[in-house]
Amino acid sequence: MEEIAPRLKAVIPHIKPVGAEDSEELLQDAMAVAAKMLHDLEARGKQVTPGNVCYYVTLHMRSGRRSHSAGRTDVMSSGGQLDGKSMVLSFEEPAGMDPETGEEIPLGEMLAGNFDDPSMSASRNVDWEEFLSTHDDRYRLLVGELAAGKKALESARDRSESYFRVRRLKAQLADDLREYMGEEALADAMRIPSWRGNIMADHEKAACRADRRSR
């Protein structure tokens, strides 16, 4: 390997990276391929020169073979991308034009949804379950209905509760949440995620540029 490493280091810059690969990653992968090749040859009792190993490793790398995969059926594989069956694009790549502003729309912006991140939703549910477990069933039931968007008067009528009790529950709920989750809990729940704020800021910048051009 000591004689093979400098040979591969000289060859790697002439191998075109595929997708998000870079020369350093290709060199590490080529070294892994060479090590496996030498191990297999030694196990069969065959002797080869460093030049031969370097030659065949280079062919493997140029054809899209990698130490972790030699198949071409995976859409993310280097071989599949070399065949033109798939490609890896940056989220910053333009994916279209906004007809109103005339600005390019990045791919990441088109794929971004308005829904909460699944991990955030899961952690929020855990917090709510722990919070509600400290109260009785009637309290949990009323809070669930209010959280689902049911009006206080409707909830009171369906549950044979006093309307004023339900109103007091809503006020008590805010106090209970502050005490259990901290003073910033309600503000954090209403805060716009940073990734969505960045998209909104980009929209506003594009709209301002389009407005200036139209004047």
Side-chain angles (χ1 to χ4, degrees):
M1 289 299 296
E2 293 181 359
E3 298 181 25
I4 295 174
R7 293 171 181 260
L8 289 176
K9 192 173 183 178
V11 171
I12 287 300
H14 302 286
I15 298 176
K16 181 181 178 181
V18 179
E21 295 176 337
D22 56 31
S23 296
E24 183 177 351
E25 182 180 354
L26 284 177
L27 177 59
Q28 294 174 353
D29 211 273
M31 292 292 291
V33 173
K36 184 177 185 305
M37 189 177 295
L38 281 174
H39 175 77
D40 293 343
L41 290 171
E42 289 176 356
R44 289 181 294 189
K46 294 187 177 181
Q47 298 293 327
V48 292
T49 64
N52 285 337
V53 174
C54 184
Y55 172 76
Y56 285 107
V57 169
T58 302
L59 290 182
H60 285 340
M61 300 301 291
R62 284 179 173 168
S63 68
R65 294 170 68 96
R66 298 294 183 263
S67 62
H68 52 82
S69 173
R72 310 178 88 84
T73 56
D74 182 1
V75 295
M76 297 296 291
S77 68
S78 301
Q81 295 179 61
L82 287 173
D83 293 340
K85 297 179 180 178
S86 64
M87 64 179 63
V88 178
L89 297 176
S90 167
F91 279 161
E92 298 300 322
E93 288 281 338
M97 300 291 293
D98 190 326
E100 296 183 0
T101 63
E103 297 289 333
E104 292 180 340
I105 304 176
L107 177 61
E109 186 173 322
M110 295 188 69
L111 296 177
N114 294 323
F115 303 102
D116 288 339
D117 182 87
S119 61
M120 293 295 295
S121 299
S123 61
R124 189 182 301 115
N125 290 336
V126 170
D127 291 338
W128 268 103
E129 289 175 2
E130 292 180 353
F131 167 71
L132 292 176
S133 66
T134 61
H135 296 79
D136 58 33
D137 292 340
R138 179 175 294 181
Y139 185 97
R140 290 196 293 268
L141 187 60
L142 288 174
V143 169
E145 292 181 349
L146 294 175
K150 204 169 188 178
K151 294 182 179 180
L153 184 60
E154 294 175 343
S155 184
R157 183 174 58 248
D158 294 343
R159 297 297 163 193
S160 300
E161 292 283 353
S162 166
Y163 170 71
F164 295 101
R165 169 174 165 72
V166 177
R167 293 280 296 182
R168 285 199 307 271
L169 174 63
K170 292 181 68 175
Q172 180 186 347
L173 176 61
D175 294 336
D176 291 346
L177 284 172
R178 290 192 188 96
E179 181 180 354
Y180 186 82
M181 299 185 182
E183 289 293 332
E184 300 298 324
L186 297 180
D188 290 341
M190 299 300 294
R191 186 173 293 119
I192 298 175
S194 57
W195 63 266
R196 190 177 298 168
N198 293 337
I199 291 178
M200 293 171 62
D202 291 339
H203 279 170
E204 292 177 1
K205 289 179 182 178
C208 290
R209 286 195 295 266
D211 184 60
R212 287 195 298 269
R213 286 199 300 266
S214 63
R215 294 180 181 179

